[in-house]
């Protein structure tokens, strides 16, 4: 197997066609492994100058691509040291390598990628949001070296519709009749309706970004949550989302709107074949008394059961094993983090000693104060 490390934009664009062919071939590819997603993300953050492209491409002897690891090196200051950490590109619930399965030894490709990773000029490896049930997750679990560096992050609840014959069959297990009064009241007061769209116009994007920011501020103030921030507060992330939404057809938006088409609640989802991932949702705090977040979830589930071949769908609530998600389902997958230091690296050794020294000084000052 041959290895190529892409560090420049012009090199990245050269693999566009083959990357997109591979992402279409591979069952289970999420939007976060697509060329468009990663390119759009890179265009949004490259000016920060803290990331360096390090995309690893594995080819066979005929130069056919067997695997792509979309990675960057992030440089951060820790105390007075510059620490280089290898990470996945992008922000996403399921980050992964893109590996050809057909007639390919997946474990050999993964091991070749990690052989390359371990010889890069970096201090630390931190790969987050790995679906433990993915091919990469399976290889890491079986590898004696990497298994011990895997750490559970969170659960991702999902509704697997093949388990249900009908909406009534689903309701027998997950009875949400208690929501009917709130739903009927919202309908009576605002005559709301559900809108499902594949694109977000600029005015809608602006509206949902404002809704999400207001909601986080409300939760911080009224619910005493600490440091909740909207992803739309970060200019780079907001720019990335706006650009990506305008370029892709893999976004599905659910809105419940009032009689004047003002958004009451929304759920922006990413499409992966018949798997729909809830990426970002929110509601206008003005409607809190109606539990609009629960009502839009109810409407989305009803929408799925109205689709032809609904049993082929999976609705993924995304990262976070929150109780409100498990009110709709018992099924979930889990995501993990793989993190380890390059042990021979002098920066890491020095950093650890400085961190221990800093901790010791804090303890000493505390003893003196008491």
């Amino acid at each position: 197997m041959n290895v190529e490390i892409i560090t420049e934009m012009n090199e990245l664009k050269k693999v566009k066609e083959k990357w997109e062919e591979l992402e279409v071939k591979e069952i289970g590819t999420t939007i976060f492994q697509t060329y468009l997603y990663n390119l759009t993300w890179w265009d949004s953050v490259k000016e920060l100058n803290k990331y360096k492209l390090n995309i690893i491409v594995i080819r066979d002897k005929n130069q056919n691509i067997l695997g792509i690891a979309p990675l960057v090196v992030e440089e951060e200051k820790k105390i007075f040291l510059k620490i280089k950490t290898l990470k996945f590109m992008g922000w996403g619930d399921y980050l992964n390598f893109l590996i050809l399965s057909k007639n390919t030894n997946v474990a050999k490709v993964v091991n070749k990628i990690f052989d390359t990773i371990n010889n890069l000029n970096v201090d630390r490896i931190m790969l987050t949001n790995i679906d433990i049930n993915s091919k990469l997750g399976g290889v890491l679990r079986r590898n004696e070296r990497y298994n011990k560096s895997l750490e559970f992050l969170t659960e991702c609840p999902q509704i697997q519709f093949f388990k249900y014959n009908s909406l009534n069959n689903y309701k027998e297990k997950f009875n949400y009749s208690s929501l009917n009064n709130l739903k009927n009241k919202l309908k009576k007061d605002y005559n709301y309706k559900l809108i499902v769209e594949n694109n977000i116009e600029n005015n809608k994007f602006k509206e949902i970004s404002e809704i999400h920011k207001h909601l986080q501020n409300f939760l911080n103030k009224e619910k005493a949550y600490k440091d909740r921030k909207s992803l739309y507060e970060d200019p780079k992330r907001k720019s990335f989302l706006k650009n990506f939404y305008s370029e892709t057809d893999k976004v599905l938006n659910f809105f419940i709107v009032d009689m004047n088409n003002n958004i009451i609640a929304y759920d922006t989802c990413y499409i992966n074949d018949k798997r729909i991932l809830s990426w970002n949702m929110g509601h206008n705090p003005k409607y809190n008394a109606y539990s609009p977040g629960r009502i839009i979830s109810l409407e989305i589930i009803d929408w799925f059961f109205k689709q032809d071949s609904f049993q082929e769908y999976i609705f993924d609530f995304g990262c976070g094993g929150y109780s409100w998600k498990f009110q709709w389902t018992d099924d979930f997958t889990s995501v993990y983090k793989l993190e380890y230091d390059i042990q021979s690296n002098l920066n890491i050794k020095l950093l650890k000693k400085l961190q221990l020294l800093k901790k010791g000084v804090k303890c000493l000052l505390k003893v003196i104060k008491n």
Side-chain angles (χ1 to χ4, degrees):
M1 287 184 284
N2 300 316
V3 178
E4 175 188 3
I5 301 177
I6 294 174
T7 58
E8 301 293 339
M9 178 69 83
N10 62 331
E11 297 170 351
L12 175 58
K13 290 182 177 179
K14 287 178 184 177
V15 299
K16 176 181 185 294
E17 184 179 346
K18 295 300 182 183
W19 186 325
E20 291 180 336
E21 284 180 11
L22 184 55
E23 71 190 42
V24 171
K25 281 181 187 176
E26 279 309 296
I27 296 173
T29 300
T30 75
I31 203 163
F32 309 113
Q33 285 83 61
T34 63
Y35 177 85
L36 178 61
Y37 183 89
N38 285 283
L39 178 69
T40 309
W41 178 82
W42 179 248
D43 279 339
S44 299
V45 303
K46 61 186 178 184
E47 291 179 359
L48 294 175
N49 293 323
K50 69 174 183 175
Y51 298 111
K52 302 296 181 186
L53 279 179
N54 267 260
I55 301 171
I56 298 171
V57 180
I58 307 296
R59 300 177 187 268
D60 64 16
K61 61 183 179 181
N62 297 317
Q63 294 303 301
N64 298 309
I65 292 179
L66 303 178
I68 299 171
L71 303 169
V72 291
V73 175
E74 180 180 14
E75 191 172 278
E76 298 175 286
K77 261 197 169 182
K78 300 282 187 181
I79 306 179
F80 61 82
L81 295 172
K82 287 185 178 179
I83 302 298
K84 295 178 181 178
T85 304
L86 189 75
K87 298 182 174 183
F88 281 116
M89 294 177 71
W91 302 292
D93 287 9
Y94 298 107
L95 302 176
N96 212 327
F97 300 158
L98 185 57
I99 298 173
L100 179 67
S101 297
K102 190 176 181 181
N103 302 321
T104 303
N105 186 321
V106 173
K108 280 190 175 181
V109 176
V110 171
N111 288 331
K112 189 67 174 178
I113 290 171
F114 275 99
D115 287 345
T116 306
I117 284 173
N118 293 328
N119 285 291
L120 292 174
N121 180 26
V122 296
D123 305 301
R124 178 177 293 157
I125 313 300
M126 188 167 68
L127 303 179
T128 64
N129 291 76
I130 299 170
D131 184 348
I132 202 62
N133 294 317
S134 67
K135 298 181 188 72
L136 174 59
V139 172
L140 295 175
R141 279 191 296 184
R142 291 187 290 272
N143 186 290
E144 185 176 351
R145 176 180 180 183
Y146 301 120
N147 179 283
K148 61 186 179 183
S149 297
L150 278 173
E151 179 184 342
F152 171 78
L153 284 182
T154 189
E155 296 159 331
C156 304
Q158 52 188 224
I159 301 175
Q160 301 174 358
F161 287 94
F162 70 86
K163 294 187 174 183
Y164 309 102
N165 297 323
S166 65
L167 177 59
N168 287 335
N169 179 225
Y170 172 83
K171 286 180 177 180
E172 288 173 4
K173 189 166 186 181
F174 300 97
N175 187 344
Y176 45 74
S177 58
S178 60
L179 274 178
N180 285 335
N181 288 339
L182 288 171
K183 177 182 173 180
N184 293 336
K185 189 169 182 356
L186 184 63
K187 191 78 171 175
K188 179 182 176 183
D189 293 348
Y190 293 97
N191 193 27
Y192 83 84
K193 61 182 177 181
L194 177 71
I195 298 175
V196 184
E197 296 178 344
N198 273 109
N199 62 341
I200 301 182
E201 298 172 355
N202 284 340
N203 60 331
K204 280 259 181 74
F205 182 85
K206 183 178 180 180
E207 190 174 355
I208 66 172
S209 63
E210 290 303 314
I211 286 172
H212 198 263
K213 285 189 283 188
H214 290 155
L215 178 60
Q216 302 316 306
N217 290 336
F218 169 83
L219 292 173
N220 283 329
K221 183 178 179 181
E222 301 295 330
K223 301 294 183 180
Y225 292 145
K226 292 183 179 179
D227 300 324
R228 287 185 70 105
K229 291 184 179 179
S230 169
L231 53 86
Y232 296 100
E233 289 180 34
D234 180 344
K236 294 295 183 185
R237 186 170 289 207
K238 184 177 179 179
S239 171
F240 160 69
L241 290 172
K242 186 176 181 180
N243 292 336
F244 182 64
Y245 292 168
S246 68
E247 293 289 334
T248 186
D249 60 354
K250 298 295 185 182
V251 174
L252 189 65
N253 302 287
F254 295 91
F255 302 102
I256 52 174
V257 299
D258 65 18
M259 61 192 79
N260 296 316
N261 279 328
N262 298 310
I263 297 173
I264 297 172
Y266 72 90
D267 195 342
T268 297
C269 303
Y270 290 152
I271 304 169
N272 173 36
D273 192 21
K274 295 290 187 177
R275 181 172 174 171
I276 312 296
L277 168 68
S278 174
W279 163 245
N280 174 244
M281 67 185 305
H283 66 269
N284 189 328
K286 167 184 172 182
Y287 303 95
N288 267 351
Y290 300 90
S291 294
R294 297 181 69 199
I295 290 175
I296 194 170
S297 293
L298 181 154
E299 290 286 359
I300 290 171
I301 292 167
D302 285 357
W303 178 87
F304 273 105
F305 278 104
K306 291 173 183 174
Q307 305 309 301
D308 294 334
S309 306
F310 69 84
Q311 289 177 313
E312 297 177 8
Y313 284 92
I314 292 175
F315 182 61
D316 193 321
F317 286 94
C319 286
Y322 303 112
S323 59
W324 69 265
K325 296 181 181 180
F326 282 110
Q327 290 170 10
W328 303 103
T329 184
D330 288 332
D331 297 304
F332 64 93
T333 187
S334 299
V335 292
Y336 280 66
K337 173 175 68 172
L338 178 72
E339 183 175 9
Y340 60 92
D341 298 330
I342 303 299
Q343 295 299 329
S344 60
N345 190 285
L346 293 176
N347 274 355
I348 288 295
K349 289 180 178 179
L350 183 55
L351 177 64
K352 287 184 174 180
K353 287 181 179 180
L354 289 172
Q355 287 173 334
L356 282 173
L357 180 61
K358 186 177 178 181
K359 187 176 180 180
V361 170
K362 280 186 177 179
C363 289
L364 179 61
L365 289 175
K366 190 174 180 180
V367 169
I368 293 171
K369 185 178 180 180
N370 292 334

